[in-house]
Amino acid sequence: TMAKTGYRFSGWSAQIDGSGTRYASAADAIASSSATFSSNTNLTLYAQWTAEVYTITYDANGGTGAPARVSDSYTYGTSGIALPAGTGLSRTGYTFGGWSETTTGIAVNNPYTTSQTRTLYALWSGIQYSISYDANGGSGSIVDASYTTGDFGITLNNGATLSRTGYTFGGWKTLSGTTVSGAPFTTSENVTLYAIWNPKSVTAQYVQGAATGTPSLPANTSGNFGANLTLAAANTVSATTTISGDTYAFAGWSIGGVIYQPGDPYRITS
């Protein structure tokens, strides 16, 4: 039994270059050969070999479309064939990266040679997208991130380095207002994420001020930072009270030295 990589046996010849009559056993079924040989002298017969022709097919490997050629033929021992470019193929979030003999392997050389029939698979390289953070009215800084298509996803920054007076950090949202999850986060485009700020709840406490008596007062209340709080009405407070023995009428509410009338709106800023 004889073998030669990339070739098939094609009979015997008295000439090393294969010229002249080709001889072969009938069992080999070699076309244009004779199964009978005779000689009246010592003679050397040379094995003849014909190069195999291998089929190369192309697989989009998760992509869509087709390359310029769906298959090629390669004759063993000849110069390699120029593989088709990725024109005609596409995959969302990826760029074409050549051809591989396996679905997840490395790119083969181009031009390409082979010693067997092959399917070559398109290689896809994930596109890297930038993820930018915007403090959205807060202070502090965050290092931007990136995501490459095909990766598991990234854990978004927890906002620990950001602050905003009167608010607590509540995550991230897109420009359109869609809240995004913390992990794993993926994207198919460059994106800017904006900090979400939730207003703190602020307690408003009513106190009797300079009164030495014990006037009736409205119950304490609360409101969100940045919202308007309607101050208690006059009918929720004693109409008069005593201060150092003198009688005084209720005149309103003092906040930070500023007098507000009962029922006035007050914007909570501290």
Side-chain angles (χ1 to χ4, degrees), residues 58-61 63-68 84-91 96 98-99 122 124:
Y58 302 101
D59 187 299
N61 193 23
T64 59
T87 306
L89 293 173
S90 64
R91 187 179 179 187
F96 177 74
W99 299 97
W124 299 102

Side-chain angles (χ1 to χ4, degrees), residues 235-253:
N235 61 8
T236 64
V237 188
S238 297
T240 61
T241 189
T242 58
I243 301 176
S244 300
D246 297 322
T247 300
Y248 285 79
F250 175 68
W253 303 104

Side-chain angles (χ1 to χ4, degrees), residues 214-232:
T214 55
S216 60
L217 295 170
N220 295 336
T221 187
S222 64
N224 287 335
F225 184 90
N228 284 329
L229 173 69
T230 300
L231 299 178

Side-chain angles (χ1 to χ4, degrees), residues 115-210:
S115 60
Q116 64 185 91
T117 291
R118 285 280 192 187
T119 295
L120 294 183
Y121 300 89
L123 287 180
W124 299 102
S125 301
I127 297 174
Q128 186 179 81
Y129 298 105
S130 65
I131 301 170
S132 302
Y133 295 106
D134 188 303
N136 194 23
S139 59
S141 61
I142 296 178
V143 176
D144 292 336
S146 64
Y147 167 72
T148 301
T149 304
D151 289 351
F152 177 71
I154 70 166
T155 299
L156 296 177
N157 189 283
N158 63 8
T161 60
L162 298 178
S163 63
R164 185 179 178 187
T165 301
Y167 294 84
T168 57
F169 177 75
W172 300 98
K173 63 182 179 180
T174 62
L175 181 61
S176 65
T178 301
T179 300
V180 297
S181 62
F185 176 74
T186 63
T187 181
S188 58
E189 61 183 349
N190 296 327
V191 64
T192 297
L193 299 180
Y194 299 85
I196 298 171
W197 296 106
N198 298 320
K200 294 179 179 179
S201 178
V202 178
T203 298
Q205 182 180 12
Y206 294 99
V207 295
Q208 66 188 46

